[in-house]
Amino acid sequence: GDLKLPAHRLDGRAPGALLVVPIVDAKGFVRGVVLAEREAPVAFTEGDERVLQALASEIWRARSAEALMANMRRARDEKTRLHGAIERLNKAAKPAEVYDAALDAARAMAPADVAIVTLVEQRGSKKFHVIVRAAGDEAVVKALEGREWPDEAGGLVASAVRFGQSLPAADVDPAKTPVLDPETRLRGVASLRVLPLKSAQEVVGTLVLGSRRPEAYDGDLKLQLDVVAMQAATSLDRARLFEKTERLATTDGLTGLQNHRTFQARLDDVLAQAERYGKRAALLLCDIDHFKSVNDTYGHPVGDVVLRGVAQVLAKEARTVDVVARYGGEEFAIIMPETDAAGAAVIAERIRERVAARTFETEQGPLKVTLSLGVAGYPGDADRRATLLERADACLYQAKRGGRNRVVVASAARPRPLAAG
Protein backbone atom coordinates (compact mmCIF):
# COMPACT_ATOMS: atom_id res chain seq x y z
CA GLY A 1 0.00 0.00 0.00
CA ASP A 2 0.97 3.68 -0.09
CA LEU A 3 3.54 4.82 2.41
CA LYS A 4 2.75 8.22 3.98
CA LEU A 5 5.81 10.06 5.19
CA PRO A 6 5.66 12.61 8.00
CA ALA A 7 5.56 16.22 6.83
CA HIS A 8 7.14 17.33 10.08
CA ARG A 9 9.65 16.00 12.56
CA LEU A 10 8.69 15.07 16.08
CA ASP A 11 9.74 18.47 17.33
CA GLY A 12 7.29 20.06 14.90
CA ARG A 13 9.85 21.49 12.50
CA ALA A 14 9.97 20.47 8.84
CA PRO A 15 13.24 18.73 7.78
CA GLY A 16 15.62 20.64 5.55
CA ALA A 17 16.20 17.56 3.35
CA LEU A 18 14.76 14.03 3.30
CA LEU A 19 15.98 10.80 1.69
CA VAL A 20 13.97 7.56 1.80
CA VAL A 21 15.33 4.24 0.48
CA PRO A 22 13.18 1.08 0.40
CA ILE A 23 14.23 -2.22 2.07
CA VAL A 24 13.51 -4.79 -0.64
CA ASP A 25 13.50 -8.63 -0.23
CA ALA A 26 14.81 -11.15 -2.74
CA LYS A 27 11.45 -11.27 -4.55
CA GLY A 28 11.27 -7.50 -5.00
CA PHE A 29 8.72 -6.84 -2.25
CA VAL A 30 9.20 -3.72 -0.12
CA ARG A 31 9.61 -4.79 3.53
CA GLY A 32 10.43 -1.42 5.04
CA VAL A 33 12.37 1.82 4.52
CA VAL A 34 15.56 3.55 5.62
CA LEU A 35 14.92 7.23 6.20
CA ALA A 36 17.51 9.99 6.55
CA GLU A 37 16.92 13.71 7.13
CA ARG A 38 18.89 16.91 7.53
CA GLU A 39 17.99 20.02 9.42
CA ALA A 40 19.83 22.16 6.88
CA PRO A 41 18.26 22.57 3.43
CA VAL A 42 21.15 20.71 1.74
CA ALA A 43 20.08 18.06 -0.79
CA PHE A 44 21.32 14.51 -0.49
CA THR A 45 23.71 13.39 -3.22
CA GLU A 46 23.67 10.23 -5.33
CA GLY A 47 26.54 9.01 -3.18
CA ASP A 48 24.40 9.47 -0.07
CA GLU A 49 21.63 7.50 -1.75
CA ARG A 50 24.03 4.67 -2.61
CA VAL A 51 25.16 4.51 1.02
CA LEU A 52 21.55 4.26 2.20
CA GLN A 53 20.79 1.63 -0.43
CA ALA A 54 23.76 -0.42 0.76
CA LEU A 55 22.55 0.02 4.35
CA ALA A 56 19.04 -1.09 3.34
CA SER A 57 20.50 -4.20 1.64
CA GLU A 58 22.61 -4.96 4.72
CA ILE A 59 19.60 -4.55 7.00
CA TRP A 60 17.59 -7.05 4.95
CA ARG A 61 20.55 -9.46 4.73
CA ALA A 62 20.99 -9.35 8.51
CA ARG A 63 17.23 -9.79 9.00
CA SER A 64 17.22 -12.80 6.63
CA ALA A 65 20.27 -14.32 8.33
CA GLU A 66 18.62 -13.91 11.73
CA ALA A 67 15.41 -15.54 10.48
CA LEU A 68 17.45 -18.40 8.96
CA MET A 69 19.32 -18.97 12.22
CA ALA A 70 16.05 -18.88 14.15
CA ASN A 71 14.57 -21.46 11.79
CA MET A 72 17.68 -23.62 12.16
CA ARG A 73 17.50 -23.37 15.94
CA ARG A 74 13.81 -24.20 15.86
CA ALA A 75 14.45 -27.17 13.56
CA ARG A 76 17.28 -28.32 15.83
CA ASP A 77 15.07 -28.01 18.91
CA GLU A 78 12.25 -29.86 17.16
CA LYS A 79 14.67 -32.60 16.14
CA THR A 80 15.99 -32.82 19.70
CA ARG A 81 12.46 -33.02 21.10
CA LEU A 82 11.51 -35.68 18.56
CA HIS A 83 14.58 -37.76 19.37
CA GLY A 84 13.93 -37.32 23.09
CA ALA A 85 10.32 -38.42 22.67
CA ILE A 86 11.31 -41.53 20.73
CA GLU A 87 14.03 -42.35 23.26
CA ARG A 88 11.58 -42.13 26.17
CA LEU A 89 9.00 -44.22 24.34
CA ASN A 90 11.68 -46.84 23.62
CA LYS A 91 12.49 -47.05 27.33
CA ALA A 92 8.86 -47.47 28.43
CA ALA A 93 8.46 -51.01 29.76
CA LYS A 94 4.82 -50.90 30.88
CA PRO A 95 1.68 -49.79 29.01
CA ALA A 96 1.02 -47.03 31.58
CA GLU A 97 4.54 -45.67 30.96
CA VAL A 98 3.84 -45.63 27.21
CA TYR A 99 0.62 -43.64 27.71
CA ASP A 100 2.41 -41.03 29.82
CA ALA A 101 5.42 -40.83 27.49
CA ALA A 102 3.21 -40.40 24.41
CA LEU A 103 1.20 -37.57 26.00
CA ASP A 104 4.31 -35.82 27.35
CA ALA A 105 6.08 -36.09 23.99
CA ALA A 106 3.14 -34.78 21.98
CA ARG A 107 2.53 -31.88 24.36
CA ALA A 108 6.22 -30.95 24.34
CA MET A 109 6.24 -30.83 20.53
CA ALA A 110 2.86 -29.27 19.84
CA PRO A 111 0.36 -26.96 21.57
CA ALA A 112 -2.22 -29.15 23.27
CA ASP A 113 -4.78 -27.90 25.75
CA VAL A 114 -6.21 -31.41 25.87
CA ALA A 115 -4.44 -34.67 25.03
CA ILE A 116 -5.99 -38.14 25.13
CA VAL A 117 -4.87 -41.74 24.62
CA THR A 118 -7.60 -44.21 23.65
CA LEU A 119 -7.34 -47.97 23.27
CA VAL A 120 -9.46 -50.43 21.32
CA GLU A 121 -10.99 -53.31 23.29
CA GLN A 122 -12.67 -56.31 21.68
CA ARG A 123 -15.46 -57.67 23.86
CA GLY A 124 -17.03 -60.65 22.20
CA SER A 125 -18.24 -59.53 18.79
CA LYS A 126 -18.24 -55.83 19.73
CA LYS A 127 -15.45 -53.27 19.65
CA PHE A 128 -15.15 -50.48 22.23
CA HIS A 129 -12.96 -47.39 22.56
CA VAL A 130 -11.66 -46.60 26.05
CA ILE A 131 -9.85 -43.47 27.26
CA VAL A 132 -6.91 -44.79 29.28
CA ARG A 133 -5.12 -41.48 29.80
CA ALA A 134 -5.92 -37.77 29.49
CA ALA A 135 -3.95 -34.58 30.12
CA GLY A 136 -4.91 -30.92 30.32
CA ASP A 137 -7.42 -29.12 32.49
CA GLU A 138 -8.06 -31.07 35.70
CA ALA A 139 -11.84 -31.03 35.34
CA VAL A 140 -11.61 -32.20 31.70
CA VAL A 141 -9.20 -35.00 32.65
CA LYS A 142 -11.52 -36.16 35.43
CA ALA A 143 -14.47 -36.21 33.04
CA LEU A 144 -12.62 -38.07 30.29
CA GLU A 145 -10.42 -40.74 31.89
CA GLY A 146 -12.12 -44.13 31.91
CA ARG A 147 -14.83 -43.03 29.47
CA GLU A 148 -15.77 -45.67 26.89
CA TRP A 149 -18.14 -46.03 23.96
CA PRO A 150 -18.99 -48.64 21.30
CA ASP A 151 -17.37 -48.46 17.89
CA GLU A 152 -20.71 -48.14 16.12
CA ALA A 153 -21.30 -44.81 17.88
CA GLY A 154 -18.92 -43.28 15.33
CA GLY A 155 -16.75 -40.22 15.82
CA LEU A 156 -13.29 -39.28 14.57
CA VAL A 157 -11.56 -41.72 16.95
CA ALA A 158 -13.54 -44.67 15.57
CA SER A 159 -12.86 -43.50 12.00
CA ALA A 160 -9.12 -43.07 12.63
CA VAL A 161 -9.00 -46.62 13.99
CA ARG A 162 -11.08 -48.01 11.13
CA PHE A 163 -9.07 -46.40 8.33
CA GLY A 164 -5.68 -46.17 10.03
CA GLN A 165 -5.34 -42.53 8.99
CA SER A 166 -4.74 -39.29 10.88
CA LEU A 167 -7.86 -37.13 10.99
CA PRO A 168 -9.39 -34.72 10.24
CA ALA A 169 -8.25 -34.45 6.63
CA ALA A 170 -9.69 -30.92 6.38
CA ASP A 171 -10.57 -28.19 8.85
CA VAL A 172 -13.49 -29.05 11.10
CA ASP A 173 -15.14 -27.40 14.06
CA PRO A 174 -14.26 -29.65 17.05
CA ALA A 175 -17.17 -28.18 19.01
CA LYS A 176 -19.60 -29.49 16.39
CA THR A 177 -17.75 -32.63 15.29
CA PRO A 178 -18.11 -35.93 17.21
CA VAL A 179 -14.54 -36.76 18.20
CA LEU A 180 -15.17 -39.36 20.88
CA ASP A 181 -18.75 -40.52 21.42
CA PRO A 182 -21.71 -38.47 20.13
CA GLU A 183 -22.44 -37.06 23.60
CA THR A 184 -18.96 -35.56 24.09
CA ARG A 185 -17.81 -32.32 22.47
CA LEU A 186 -14.39 -30.72 22.87
CA ARG A 187 -15.57 -27.15 23.28
CA GLY A 188 -13.12 -24.27 23.12
CA VAL A 189 -10.81 -26.26 20.86
CA ALA A 190 -9.91 -24.61 17.54
CA SER A 191 -7.44 -27.23 16.22
CA LEU A 192 -7.73 -30.98 16.37
CA ARG A 193 -5.57 -33.98 15.48
CA VAL A 194 -6.54 -37.65 15.89
CA LEU A 195 -3.55 -39.92 15.28
CA PRO A 196 -3.96 -43.71 14.98
CA LEU A 197 -1.62 -45.84 17.10
CA LYS A 198 -0.76 -48.24 14.33
CA SER A 199 1.70 -51.09 14.71
CA ALA A 200 2.20 -53.38 11.71
CA GLN A 201 -1.29 -53.64 10.26
CA GLU A 202 -3.24 -53.28 13.50
CA VAL A 203 -4.53 -50.03 14.99
CA VAL A 204 -4.57 -50.43 18.77
CA GLY A 205 -5.86 -46.99 19.70
CA THR A 206 -5.42 -43.26 19.08
CA LEU A 207 -3.60 -40.17 20.29
CA VAL A 208 -5.96 -37.17 20.31
CA LEU A 209 -4.68 -33.59 20.54
CA GLY A 210 -6.73 -30.41 20.79
CA SER A 211 -5.57 -26.78 20.95
CA ARG A 212 -7.27 -23.44 21.39
CA ARG A 213 -4.92 -22.07 18.72
CA PRO A 214 -6.19 -22.19 15.12
CA GLU A 215 -4.09 -24.18 12.64
CA ALA A 216 -1.91 -25.52 15.46
CA TYR A 217 -1.06 -28.80 13.73
CA ASP A 218 -0.06 -27.69 10.24
CA GLY A 219 3.13 -28.20 8.25
CA ASP A 220 6.01 -30.39 9.41
CA LEU A 221 4.41 -30.81 12.82
CA LYS A 222 1.86 -33.20 11.32
CA LEU A 223 4.64 -35.51 10.15
CA GLN A 224 6.45 -35.33 13.48
CA LEU A 225 3.29 -36.20 15.39
CA ASP A 226 2.71 -39.14 13.03
CA VAL A 227 6.19 -40.42 13.91
CA VAL A 228 5.45 -40.09 17.65
CA ALA A 229 2.16 -41.97 17.25
CA MET A 230 3.83 -44.74 15.25
CA GLN A 231 6.58 -45.09 17.86
CA ALA A 232 4.01 -45.06 20.67
CA ALA A 233 2.15 -47.95 19.01
CA THR A 234 5.38 -49.95 18.63
CA SER A 235 6.32 -49.26 22.26
CA LEU A 236 2.85 -50.26 23.42
CA ASP A 237 3.10 -53.56 21.55
CA ARG A 238 6.46 -54.22 23.16
CA ALA A 239 5.22 -53.27 26.65
CA ARG A 240 2.19 -55.54 26.30
CA LEU A 241 4.40 -58.42 25.15
CA PHE A 242 6.74 -57.83 28.10
CA GLU A 243 3.75 -57.75 30.45
CA LYS A 244 2.40 -61.02 29.05
CA THR A 245 5.80 -62.67 29.26
CA GLU A 246 6.24 -61.49 32.83
CA ARG A 247 2.77 -62.74 33.71
CA LEU A 248 3.53 -66.16 32.24
CA ALA A 249 6.73 -66.34 34.27
CA THR A 250 5.21 -65.24 37.57
CA THR A 251 1.62 -66.52 37.67
CA ASP A 252 -0.05 -69.88 37.97
CA GLY A 253 -1.80 -70.74 34.72
CA LEU A 254 -4.89 -72.29 36.31
CA THR A 255 -5.72 -69.84 39.10
CA GLY A 256 -4.04 -66.63 37.95
CA LEU A 257 -2.36 -66.27 41.36
CA GLN A 258 1.39 -65.88 41.85
CA ASN A 259 3.24 -69.15 41.27
CA HIS A 260 5.46 -70.98 43.74
CA ARG A 261 8.73 -69.53 42.46
CA THR A 262 7.38 -65.97 42.65
CA PHE A 263 6.04 -66.68 46.14
CA GLN A 264 9.50 -67.69 47.34
CA ALA A 265 11.11 -64.56 45.88
CA ARG A 266 8.45 -62.24 47.32
CA LEU A 267 8.70 -63.88 50.74
CA ASP A 268 12.43 -63.13 50.73
CA ASP A 269 11.70 -59.49 49.80
CA VAL A 270 9.01 -58.99 52.45
CA LEU A 271 11.09 -60.53 55.24
CA ALA A 272 14.18 -58.54 54.21
CA GLN A 273 12.13 -55.33 54.37
CA ALA A 274 10.66 -56.33 57.74
CA GLU A 275 14.11 -57.05 59.17
CA ARG A 276 15.65 -53.87 57.77
CA TYR A 277 12.96 -51.51 59.07
CA GLY A 278 11.94 -53.40 62.20
CA LYS A 279 8.48 -54.24 60.88
CA ARG A 280 6.27 -57.30 61.16
CA ALA A 281 5.00 -59.79 58.61
CA ALA A 282 2.76 -62.84 58.61
CA LEU A 283 2.43 -65.97 56.53
CA LEU A 284 -0.81 -67.84 55.92
CA LEU A 285 -0.85 -71.36 54.48
CA CYS A 286 -4.14 -73.06 53.61
CA ASP A 287 -5.28 -76.32 52.10
CA ILE A 288 -8.60 -77.45 50.57
CA ASP A 289 -10.02 -80.18 52.80
CA HIS A 290 -10.52 -83.61 51.21
CA PHE A 291 -9.54 -82.26 47.79
CA LYS A 292 -8.26 -85.65 46.63
CA SER A 293 -11.74 -87.09 47.05
CA VAL A 294 -13.16 -84.22 44.96
CA ASN A 295 -10.85 -85.16 42.09
CA ASP A 296 -11.43 -88.89 42.54
CA THR A 297 -15.22 -88.55 42.75
CA TYR A 298 -15.96 -85.78 40.23
CA GLY A 299 -12.88 -85.66 38.02
CA HIS A 300 -10.09 -83.12 37.51
CA PRO A 301 -12.20 -80.60 35.53
CA VAL A 302 -14.45 -80.18 38.58
CA GLY A 303 -11.37 -79.98 40.78
CA ASP A 304 -10.06 -77.17 38.58
CA VAL A 305 -13.33 -75.26 39.05
CA VAL A 306 -12.92 -75.54 42.81
CA LEU A 307 -9.27 -74.44 42.69
CA ARG A 308 -10.15 -71.38 40.62
CA GLY A 309 -13.08 -70.53 42.90
CA VAL A 310 -11.00 -70.77 46.07
CA ALA A 311 -8.30 -68.65 44.42
CA GLN A 312 -10.91 -65.97 43.68
CA VAL A 313 -11.96 -65.88 47.33
CA LEU A 314 -8.34 -65.58 48.49
CA ALA A 315 -7.59 -62.78 46.04
CA LYS A 316 -10.76 -60.90 47.00
CA GLU A 317 -10.33 -61.16 50.77
CA ALA A 318 -6.60 -60.41 50.84
CA ARG A 319 -5.38 -56.81 50.99
CA THR A 320 -3.86 -55.03 48.01
CA VAL A 321 -0.36 -55.25 49.50
CA ASP A 322 -0.62 -58.98 50.20
CA VAL A 323 0.97 -61.61 47.97
CA VAL A 324 -1.50 -64.40 47.15
CA ALA A 325 0.05 -67.52 45.61
CA ARG A 326 -0.70 -71.08 44.68
CA TYR A 327 1.80 -72.90 46.86
CA GLY A 328 1.29 -76.26 45.17
CA GLY A 329 -1.55 -78.66 44.34
CA GLU A 330 -4.53 -77.66 46.47
CA GLU A 331 -2.40 -75.59 48.86
CA PHE A 332 -2.30 -71.78 48.82
CA ALA A 333 -0.24 -69.14 50.60
CA ILE A 334 -0.64 -65.46 51.47
CA ILE A 335 2.28 -63.22 52.49
CA MET A 336 1.08 -60.28 54.58
CA PRO A 337 3.54 -57.38 54.97
CA GLU A 338 3.34 -55.18 58.09
CA THR A 339 0.87 -57.52 59.78
CA ASP A 340 1.21 -59.60 62.94
CA ALA A 341 -0.18 -63.09 63.43
CA ALA A 342 -3.31 -61.78 65.18
CA GLY A 343 -4.17 -59.49 62.25
CA ALA A 344 -3.50 -62.29 59.77
CA ALA A 345 -5.72 -64.64 61.79
CA VAL A 346 -8.66 -62.27 61.35
CA ILE A 347 -8.26 -62.35 57.56
CA ALA A 348 -7.71 -66.14 57.66
CA GLU A 349 -10.97 -66.65 59.56
CA ARG A 350 -12.83 -64.45 57.08
CA ILE A 351 -11.41 -66.49 54.19
CA ARG A 352 -12.43 -69.74 55.90
CA GLU A 353 -15.98 -68.47 56.34
CA ARG A 354 -16.26 -67.20 52.76
CA VAL A 355 -15.07 -70.50 51.26
CA ALA A 356 -17.34 -72.57 53.52
CA ALA A 357 -20.33 -70.45 52.53
CA ARG A 358 -19.64 -70.60 48.82
CA THR A 359 -21.30 -73.08 46.46
CA PHE A 360 -19.22 -74.02 43.43
CA GLU A 361 -21.30 -74.62 40.32
CA THR A 362 -19.72 -77.47 38.35
CA GLU A 363 -20.67 -79.76 35.47
CA GLN A 364 -21.42 -82.40 38.10
CA GLY A 365 -23.71 -80.06 40.01
CA PRO A 366 -23.23 -77.75 43.01
CA LEU A 367 -20.32 -78.52 45.31
CA LYS A 368 -19.10 -77.14 48.63
CA VAL A 369 -15.64 -77.41 50.21
CA THR A 370 -13.84 -76.11 53.30
CA LEU A 371 -10.35 -74.84 54.11
CA SER A 372 -7.84 -75.55 56.85
CA LEU A 373 -5.47 -72.66 57.56
CA GLY A 374 -2.23 -72.12 59.48
CA VAL A 375 -0.83 -68.71 60.44
CA ALA A 376 2.61 -67.68 61.71
CA GLY A 377 4.08 -64.23 62.33
CA TYR A 378 7.52 -62.70 61.91
CA PRO A 379 9.42 -62.16 64.12
CA GLY A 380 7.00 -63.14 66.93
CA ASP A 381 6.66 -66.81 65.94
CA ALA A 382 9.81 -67.18 63.86
CA ASP A 383 12.76 -64.92 63.17
CA ARG A 384 13.97 -66.72 60.07
CA ARG A 385 12.44 -67.55 56.71
CA ALA A 386 12.75 -71.34 57.01
CA THR A 387 11.37 -71.33 60.55
CA LEU A 388 8.41 -69.15 59.51
CA LEU A 389 7.47 -71.61 56.77
CA GLU A 390 7.81 -74.53 59.18
CA ARG A 391 5.66 -72.81 61.82
CA ALA A 392 2.88 -71.99 59.36
CA ASP A 393 3.01 -75.51 57.92
CA ALA A 394 2.88 -77.05 61.40
CA CYS A 395 -0.21 -74.95 62.18
CA LEU A 396 -1.84 -76.07 58.94
CA TYR A 397 -1.10 -79.71 59.85
CA GLN A 398 -2.59 -79.15 63.31
CA ALA A 399 -5.74 -77.63 61.75
CA LYS A 400 -6.08 -80.78 59.63
CA ARG A 401 -5.61 -83.09 62.60
CA GLY A 402 -7.99 -81.04 64.71
CA GLY A 403 -10.93 -81.68 62.41
CA ARG A 404 -10.31 -79.41 59.41
CA ASN A 405 -12.28 -76.27 58.45
CA ARG A 406 -10.45 -74.20 61.06
CA VAL A 407 -7.64 -71.67 61.59
CA VAL A 408 -4.64 -72.42 63.81
CA VAL A 409 -2.23 -69.63 64.80
CA ALA A 410 1.34 -70.41 65.80
CA SER A 411 1.33 -68.33 68.98
CA ALA A 412 -1.78 -70.15 70.22
CA ALA A 413 -0.98 -73.61 68.87
CA ARG A 414 2.39 -74.05 70.58
CA PRO A 415 3.49 -76.76 68.13
CA ARG A 416 6.30 -79.13 69.04
CA PRO A 417 9.80 -77.55 69.20
CA LEU A 418 11.63 -77.41 65.92
CA ALA A 419 15.28 -78.13 65.37
CA ALA A 420 17.48 -75.05 65.00
CA GLY A 421 18.74 -74.15 61.55
Side-chain angles (χ1 to χ4, degrees), residues 119 121 123 128-131 144-150 181:
L119 289 186
E121 288 187 5
R123 303 173 188 171
F128 288 82
H129 302 277
V130 182
I131 297 177
L144 289 177
E145 279 198 343
R147 194 179 188 91
E148 61 179 56
W149 63 97
D181 58 308

Side-chain angles (χ1 to χ4, degrees), residues 85-93 231 235 238:
I86 292 174
E87 184 178 5
R88 183 178 172 188
L89 284 165
N90 278 332
K91 290 180 179 178
Q231 186 61 47
S235 297
R238 186 179 62 250

Side-chain angles (χ1 to χ4, degrees), residues 60-327:
W60 184 251
R61 187 202 65 77
R63 166 68 178 76
S64 299
E66 182 183 343
L68 178 61
M69 291 300 295
N71 286 336
M72 290 176 65
R73 284 193 297 270
R74 186 164 54 251
R76 182 195 63 200
D77 292 344
E78 288 174 352
K79 186 177 180 181
T80 300
R81 285 196 296 269
L82 182 59
H83 285 177
I86 292 174
E87 184 178 5
R88 183 178 172 188
L89 284 165
N90 278 332
K91 290 180 179 178
K94 298 179 179 179
E97 293 175 359
V98 176
Y99 309 151
D100 292 334
L103 289 185
D104 290 347
R107 298 184 80 197
M109 295 172 60
D113 296 294
V114 61
I116 301 166
V117 176
T118 73
L119 289 186
V120 180
E121 288 187 5
Q122 191 73 38
R123 303 173 188 171
S125 61
K126 287 196 170 187
K127 186 185 294 183
F128 288 82
H129 302 277
V130 182
I131 297 177
V132 293
R133 197 68 95 247
D137 181 80
E138 186 177 347
V140 173
V141 170
K142 189 175 181 180
L144 289 177
E145 279 198 343
R147 194 179 188 91
E148 61 179 56
W149 63 97
D151 184 67
E152 61 263 26
L156 288 180
V157 165
S159 297
V161 169
R162 191 173 302 118
F163 301 113
Q165 298 291 329
S166 296
L167 296 173
D171 290 338
V172 298
D173 184 352
K176 298 179 180 178
T177 304
V179 179
L180 309 172
D181 58 308
E183 288 74 35
T184 306
R185 293 288 189 274
L186 299 180
R187 303 193 184 281
V189 171
S191 299
L192 182 70
R193 201 73 186 150
V194 181
L195 306 147
L197 301 180
K198 185 177 181 181
S199 178
Q201 298 303 312
E202 183 184 10
V203 179
V204 297
T206 66
L207 174 60
V208 182
L209 303 174
S211 173
R212 293 187 180 94
R213 285 173 44 184
E215 301 177 356
Y217 307 120
D218 289 347
D220 292 340
L221 189 54
K222 282 184 179 181
L223 298 177
Q224 293 174 12
L225 290 172
D226 282 342
V227 171
V228 169
M230 181 178 65
Q231 186 61 47
T234 301
S235 297
L236 184 56
D237 269 358
R238 186 179 62 250
R240 283 174 162 177
L241 178 61
F242 178 79
E243 200 174 54
K244 288 178 182 177
T245 304
E246 190 178 47
R247 193 180 302 119
L248 286 173
T250 60
T251 60
D252 172 63
L254 177 65
T255 63
L257 301 180
Q258 302 290 295
N259 59 25
H260 184 86
R261 184 179 65 180
T262 306
F263 162 80
Q264 297 289 356
R266 292 297 304 276
L267 181 60
D268 285 338
D269 293 341
V270 169
L271 293 182
Q273 287 284 97
E275 181 179 8
R276 181 177 180 182
Y277 297 106
K279 295 183 180 295
R280 299 167 298 180
L283 175 63
L284 184 158
L285 294 180
C286 61
D287 187 276
I288 302 175
D289 297 327
H290 302 298
F291 185 72
K292 184 177 183 302
S293 66
V294 171
N295 275 337
D296 291 345
T297 304
Y298 301 101
H300 287 282
V302 171
D304 289 348
V305 171
V306 173
L307 287 170
R308 283 193 291 266
V310 170
Q312 289 170 4
V313 174
L314 293 172
K316 182 178 179 181
E317 298 302 329
R319 304 169 306 168
T320 305
V321 296
D322 296 338
V323 180
V324 186
R326 186 180 181 189
Y327 195 63

Side-chain angles (χ1 to χ4, degrees), residues 12-95:
R13 293 182 299 165
L18 188 66
L19 177 61
V20 180
V21 174
I23 299 174
V24 182
D25 66 13
K27 295 182 178 180
F29 292 103
V30 176
R31 298 295 186 177
V33 296
V34 178
L35 184 149
E37 65 173 39
R38 284 176 177 160
E39 289 187 11
V42 178
F44 287 96
T45 66
E46 290 184 3
D48 295 332
E49 187 174 349
R50 284 194 295 272
V51 170
L52 253 61
Q53 287 175 341
L55 179 60
S57 296
E58 183 61 22
I59 289 172
W60 184 251
R61 187 202 65 77
R63 166 68 178 76
S64 299
E66 182 183 343
L68 178 61
M69 291 300 295
N71 286 336
M72 290 176 65
R73 284 193 297 270
R74 186 164 54 251
R76 182 195 63 200
D77 292 344
E78 288 174 352
K79 186 177 180 181
T80 300
R81 285 196 296 269
L82 182 59
H83 285 177
I86 292 174
E87 184 178 5
R88 183 178 172 188
L89 284 165
N90 278 332
K91 290 180 179 178
K94 298 179 179 179

